[in-house]
Amino acid sequence: MAHIIVVGNEKGGAGKSTVSMHVATALARMGHRVGALDLDMRQKTMGRYCDNRRRYLEGEGLDLPSPRYIELPQIDQSSLAEGENAYDVRLSKAVSELEPDSDFILIDCPGSHTRLSQVAHSLADTLVTPLNDSFIDFDLLARIDNDGEKILGPSVYSEMVWNARQLRAQAGLKPIDWIVLRNRLGAQQMINKMKMEKALERLSKRIGFRIAPGFSERVVFRELFPRGLTLLDLKDVGVKQLNISNVAARQELRDLMTALALPEVTIRF
């Protein structure tokens, strides 16, 4: 069976699609077969990223390793059994289509609470939650006191992950390996940043997730999207000398892939 990686966070702007595309493409470049789904039915940023990549590579006559992206299939409502949810069926059919030819299936979730996102989380072998370095984002995981020091209790997203874990346990599946990424980090070391770090460490022990390094805020990520490229593609499209920022970003991707500790993955870039 394919190992399912779900990238989820109920808040937009955390860099989910950038993380999704880089993880999926990194796995493909290391020789793994990767399927990809985008559950954001409105924005479809991951889907557009994959489409940009396909069109750019075709236009340039390039053949670079890429995830196999598919849309959720449409279904005939009249074919549904009584009480059956259309979104559940569409997601199940998409996973079933990708699974025979995939070592990994990466599912990019919307920045909101939806039925699709909820079901996808219950499918996750690995759950990756990018989080901006802000207590506004932290509030999705846990409620804290006014000083940002004391954790008062889990919040909406953590409760959804808890429910997904319960569903997997009832089905006899392996527990979700939940990784929270501190993403889009700024260069400055601020008091708020240190408070965030300590709060995440306390919360990780309380509700059971690992903390991994994400990406710093860099212009290069915005520049790569229109061509559907990732950091690992730059030399293949004619960039002979990477600048310091790009080299640092590649190291961040290497650190992220190492931290994910995905089965049978050896980091080779």
Side-chain angles (χ1 to χ4, degrees), residues 219-235:
V219 174
V220 67
F221 293 117
R222 293 190 288 274
E223 295 174 340
L224 292 170
F225 174 78
R227 293 176 291 168
L229 298 177
T230 69
L231 295 164
L232 301 182
D233 302 314
L234 293 177
K235 290 186 177 180

Side-chain angles (χ1 to χ4, degrees), residues 57-246:
L57 296 182
E58 286 177 359
E60 295 295 318
L62 295 171
D63 182 18
L64 299 181
S66 304
R68 178 193 172 201
Y69 173 78
I70 64 170
E71 299 275 354
L72 292 187
Q74 297 296 330
I75 60 166
D76 182 356
Q77 294 283 341
S78 64
S79 67
L80 296 174
E82 185 177 352
E84 196 170 31
N85 185 285
Y87 288 117
D88 295 5
V89 174
R90 292 177 70 188
L91 179 55
S92 177
K93 284 182 177 294
V95 171
S96 296
E97 180 180 342
L98 289 172
E99 194 157 39
D101 300 314
S102 299
D103 302 311
F104 296 91
I105 298 174
L106 191 141
I107 303 176
D108 189 19
C109 291
S112 58
H113 182 81
T114 66
R115 172 76 181 193
L116 277 172
S117 183
Q118 190 176 6
V119 175
H121 278 67
S122 68
L123 299 177
D125 298 301
T126 298
L127 171 60
V128 181
T129 301
L131 195 73
N132 287 329
D133 219 37
S134 159
F135 278 109
I136 295 174
D137 281 34
F138 186 89
D139 189 63
L140 284 171
L141 298 180
R143 294 174 289 110
I144 53 174
D145 65 5
N146 293 346
D147 294 327
E149 300 285 349
K150 184 179 179 181
I151 296 169
L152 304 177
S155 200
V156 288
Y157 183 73
S158 296
E159 289 173 353
M160 186 178 78
V161 176
W162 171 257
N163 290 333
R165 283 172 159 168
Q166 293 295 96
L167 288 172
R168 286 182 66 86
Q170 291 167 11
L173 300 173
K174 292 192 302 183
I176 299 171
D177 183 18
W178 185 14
I179 300 111
V180 172
L181 305 184
R182 296 183 67 198
N183 207 38
R184 302 184 69 173
L185 296 171
Q188 294 180 330
Q189 289 288 340
M190 297 177 290
I191 294 176
N192 186 69
K193 195 172 181 179
M194 291 186 287
K195 281 188 175 182
M196 268 287 292
E197 184 174 358
K198 291 178 181 177
L200 273 176
E201 287 175 356
R202 289 194 297 271
L203 187 61
S204 68
K205 297 179 177 65
R206 183 163 171 176
I207 63 176
F209 59 77
R210 299 192 286 120
I211 303 171
F215 295 127
S216 298
E217 183 67 46
R218 298 182 191 278
V219 174
V220 67
F221 293 117
R222 293 190 288 274
E223 295 174 340
L224 292 170
F225 174 78
R227 293 176 291 168
L229 298 177
T230 69
L231 295 164
L232 301 182
D233 302 314
L234 293 177
K235 290 186 177 180
D236 291 319
V237 297
V239 179
K240 295 180 181 179
Q241 186 68 42
L242 299 181
N243 62 38
I244 293 174
S245 178
N246 292 350

